[in-house]
Amino acid sequence: MKRLLAIYLNDMSRIGRNWAAIVMISGLAFLPSLYAWFNILASWDPYSNTGSLAIAVVNEDRGATARGKELRLGDEIIASLRDDRRIGWTFVDAAEAERGVLRGEYFAALTIPPEFSEHISSVLTATPQKAEILYDVNEKTNAISPKITSKGASGILDEVTRQFIRTANGTIFAIMNEVGLELERELPAIEAGKAMLFRLEELFPELNRLVDAGLTDLDKAQAIAAKAENYIPEITRLAEAGSAMTEQLGVWIGRTGQALDALSPGIKQDLYLLQQAAIGVKQLNGLLQDVKTDPAILQSELDRVGRRLAVASDVNDKLISLFERLNGLTGGKGSAAAAQKLQKLQRDLQLQAAIMERLSLAMAKGEKPAGELIADLGRVAGDTASGLEDLLGRYDTEIAPGIAEGAQTAKQKLEQAHEALAAAAAVIPDAGSLVSGAAKGLAAGRSELAAIKQALPALEAKVKELADRLRAFEQQGNLGDILRLLKLDAQKESEFFAEPVVLKENRLFPIPNYGSAMSPFFTTLSLWVGALLLVSLLTVEVHEEGIRYKSYQVYLGRFLTFLTIALVQSLFVTLGDLYLLHTFVAEPGWFVGFGLLLSALFMLIVYTLVSVFGNVGKAMAIVLLVLQLAGSGGTFPVQLTPPFFQAIHPFLPFTYAIGLMREAVGGLIWDVAVRDLAILAVYAGLALLIGLGLKKWINASSAKLVHKAKESRIIH
């Protein structure tokens, strides 16, 4: 247990001491939240912008005459569409509509044909004909827009149908009224007035509630505006502090560049030292090839050159460390290639030392050095000398200038950041003015709404008085005949037949916008993506000099580091959803808690795959992500997907993770949430079983394969 915790504490300590690591880890913790936020914002309320979908409308209706009355129903449809802002109706001629739809300038086109009114009026003849409206759609422009525009076209047909039924039935009942109820022509108007009066009386409690709710909302908005005004000075201070910090960093980088200039001759001198050591090995190789050389002299030279190689190896190791540190400052310019060269030279130096040790042992036993070893020594020494000659040749022309250029680039970027923060600080006062203006507008709106609330009681009393008088009048029986005659009211009967059934919607778990409804899916997806980012950039193995850890210690110890970062990722995503995007969440606390739980589970699954299977595990995690995108039911209901995805749906972690987040967003039903938690616990158990039970065996069995793959210098 102590060694397990030691791995985790060492990781945290190293991250805390290395500013570059802090920057990278912070980026890894923050990046997944951008994935969720941008997708939620992009899908926030797409159906409120359907007025931007351009649909061409062509009216070719030539009209008709029915019973001496001229009908131009096409013009009536056009007039109603001009007042309809739900779709971007664009009124053009036929040629323009055809050209625009073919080229994607319009998503669809509606054409009212010349005989439209004529066919509608044929209902009064012996051979009625159904009228048509032509609908042309370009489905290649977008996958969703044809569905929306089709709804718009269907809406036009429905409205035309309702108007026709309403008109036809109204005419029938009007004839009946003219025959049998001529003396009661005013009764429909009286009945309509009575119904409106009673309806108005019923609406007053709702009106009072809406006014009270409006006042409450305005009070909340004023409080928010006041808080925003209070935060403006703090934002200004932060911007100024950031500007000062970037300016100081620029000065530091400038001083660092001067230090590099001073260090350059020393680096070059160390390279000359390495070259001399390589030349010494080549000379020793010549003595070894000479059979006449005294063995005592050979043994002495082996010892002397061995000591020089040890010094050279130590110097080279320090140069490698120096160039690797320069990579973080300069972005790899100049230093990256040099570091790679020196790492190869380090391997060659170590190989030469090993060969010389074998030669020395052979001579100590009185044996003749093997010719194959002498040849290997000569070859490696030649490669080392050649590599150092190339490195020295490019040091003044490529490496040193590249390092200086990288430091200058870093300084320029900091200067740009300083300028941006200074510009931001300059516009903050304007933002403060806007917030102050909004606060004044809210105060004025509240004053007007308060005046309306004050006037409502008097108006309600008047309406109630009139309604009571009308009820008293009806109780006397004077309206009995009127009520029977109203059954034949043309307007009421025609409205009923035009729309005999009205859909009454009851929303059990109301969510105000599409973006909030999609937040469970995108939040869950971003947590898996965050886990993939971590295993892609951070190592799952532990290599400590002089310490050998057991397999389960490496697995659990390094997992604690990944888990810590994953939990920070989850907090960024969920808290950003709540307080940055202001997505609707019925249970904010459980939303954040479930997010932490899912982040820990996803990190455990992905980490286990990579820890046990290496690079293959990364591929497995990506494949699992792809399957879950389509098979989890996060966007379309899984019942609409092909049979394959319906079959794997119950076995995917996303299925229950998204369900758990939906419970927090829409409203918790605990038996559903507990079921999802129980199944997710099974996935956690399977991951731990694989990690603790199979890691040691699979890692050992695949070690040779991994080593061979690394020799390609392409696969790490």
Side-chain angles (χ1 to χ4, degrees), residues 12 55 79 83 89 100 105 139 157 191 210 245 267 313-314 344 372 418 421 482 498 550 563 670 712:
M12 294 296 102
I55 298 182
D83 297 329
W89 307 112
E105 296 175 9
E139 294 188 347
L157 296 181
E191 184 65 16
L210 291 175
M245 183 188 71
I267 295 174
S313 179
D314 186 57
K344 182 182 182 307
E372 183 180 352
H418 172 71
L421 285 170
I482 297 176
K550 295 182 179 179
L563 175 62
W670 272 110
S712 68

Side-chain angles (χ1 to χ4, degrees), residues 496-706:
F496 175 82
F497 280 100
E499 194 172 9
V501 179
V502 178
L503 179 67
K504 185 177 181 180
E505 182 180 9
N506 181 25
R507 301 174 67 190
L508 298 179
F509 301 102
I511 299 176
N513 55 70
Y514 189 76
S516 296
M518 290 298 293
S519 64
F521 172 67
F522 287 123
T523 299
T524 301
L525 181 58
S526 69
L527 296 180
W528 189 280
V529 171
L532 283 175
L533 284 175
L534 290 180
V535 299
S536 297
L537 297 180
L538 305 181
T539 180
V540 299
E541 298 298 330
V542 177
H543 301 288
E544 295 286 350
E545 294 183 1
I547 302 177
R548 293 181 61 84
Y549 292 106
K550 295 182 179 179
S551 177
Y552 79 90
Q553 293 172 340
V554 173
Y555 173 76
L556 294 176
R558 182 51 59 86
F559 172 68
L560 292 178
T561 302
F562 279 83
L563 175 62
T564 301
I565 303 172
L567 294 178
V568 175
Q569 288 178 338
S570 176
L571 289 175
F572 270 122
V573 175
T574 55
L575 293 176
D577 288 354
L578 291 171
Y579 301 111
L580 184 63
L581 303 185
H582 301 290
T583 56
F584 172 84
V585 176
E587 300 287 348
W590 286 112
F591 183 78
V592 175
F594 290 158
L596 291 170
L597 180 67
L598 295 179
S599 186
L601 173 64
F602 293 166
M603 191 68 260
L604 177 61
I605 293 173
V606 175
Y607 172 84
T608 299
L609 290 175
V610 178
S611 179
V612 174
F613 302 102
N615 286 332
V616 176
K618 296 179 184 179
M620 293 166 69
I622 294 173
V623 170
L624 189 55
L625 171 62
V626 172
L627 291 175
Q628 292 183 119
L629 286 174
S632 63
T635 51
F636 295 104
V638 71
Q639 292 79 5
L640 304 181
T641 60
F644 170 75
F645 295 104
Q646 295 186 40
I648 66 173
H649 174 74
F651 306 102
L652 300 175
F654 267 31
T655 298
Y656 308 99
I658 295 172
L660 196 61
M661 297 301 279
R662 283 173 174 165
E663 290 298 310
V665 170
L668 272 171
I669 298 178
W670 272 110
D671 57 340
V672 177
V674 169
R675 179 206 64 189
D676 292 338
L677 287 169
I679 296 176
L680 291 173
V682 173
Y683 287 111
L686 289 174
L688 287 171
L689 182 64
I690 293 172
L692 295 174
L694 300 181
K695 175 177 171 61
K696 181 178 180 181
W697 177 74
I698 292 180
N699 286 172
S701 62
S702 62
K704 292 183 179 179
L705 176 64
V706 172

Side-chain angles (χ1 to χ4, degrees), residues 36-57:
W37 297 344
F38 287 154
N39 279 288
I40 292 172
L41 278 177
S43 58
W44 190 258
D45 195 6
Y47 297 108
S48 65
N49 299 319
T50 55
S52 301
L53 293 176
I55 298 182
V57 180

Side-chain angles (χ1 to χ4, degrees), residues 228-241:
E229 283 187 286
N230 293 334
Y231 287 149
I232 291 295
E234 181 65 16
I235 294 172
T236 303
R237 186 187 67 77
L238 289 173
E240 291 173 350

